[in-house]
Coordinates of all heavy atoms in Angstrom, one line a residue:
M63 N -5.4 16.1 4.8 CA -6.1 17.5 4.4 C -5.3 18.6 5.1 O -5.2 19.8 4.5 CB -7.5 17.4 4.6 CG -8.2 16.4 3.5 SD -10.0 16.4 3.5 CE -10.3 15.7 5.1
S67 N -3.6 21.8 3.5 CA -4.3 23.0 3.8 C -5.6 22.9 2.8 O -5.9 24.0 2.1 CB -3.5 24.2 3.5 OG -2.6 24.3 4.4
V68 N -6.3 22.0 2.6 CA -7.6 21.9 2.0 C -8.7 21.5 3.0 O -8.4 20.9 4.1 CB -7.5 20.8 0.8 CG1 -6.4 21.3 -0.2 CG2 -7.2 19.4 1.2
T69 N -9.9 21.9 2.6 CA -10.9 21.5 3.4 C -11.7 20.2 2.9 O -11.7 20.0 1.6 CB -12.1 22.6 3.5 OG1 -12.6 22.9 2.1 CG2 -11.4 23.9 4.1
P70 N -12.5 19.5 3.6 CA -13.2 18.4 3.1 C -14.1 18.7 1.9 O -14.2 18.0 0.9 CB -14.0 17.9 4.2 CG -13.3 18.3 5.5 CD -12.7 19.5 5.1
E71 N -14.7 19.9 2.0 CA -15.7 20.3 1.0 C -15.0 20.5 -0.5 O -15.7 20.5 -1.4 CB -16.5 21.5 1.3 CG -17.3 21.4 2.5 CD -16.6 21.5 3.8 OE1 -15.4 21.9 3.9 OE2 -17.2 21.0 5.0
Q72 N -13.7 20.7 -0.3 CA -13.0 21.0 -1.7 C -12.7 19.7 -2.4 O -12.4 19.8 -3.6 CB -11.6 21.7 -1.3 CG -11.8 23.2 -1.1 CD -10.5 23.7 -0.7 OE1 -9.9 23.6 0.4 NE2 -9.9 24.5 -1.5
I73 N -12.8 18.6 -1.7 CA -12.4 17.2 -2.2 C -13.5 16.9 -3.4 O -14.7 16.8 -3.1 CB -12.2 16.2 -1.2 CG1 -11.2 16.6 -0.2 CG2 -11.8 14.8 -1.9 CD1 -9.8 16.9 -0.7
A100 N -16.7 15.0 3.4 CA -16.3 15.5 2.0 C -17.5 15.2 1.1 O -17.5 14.5 0.1 CB -15.1 14.6 1.5

Side-chain angles (χ1 to χ4, degrees):
M63 288 187 294
S67 300
V68 296
T69 62
E71 295 76 22
Q72 286 179 283
I73 304 298

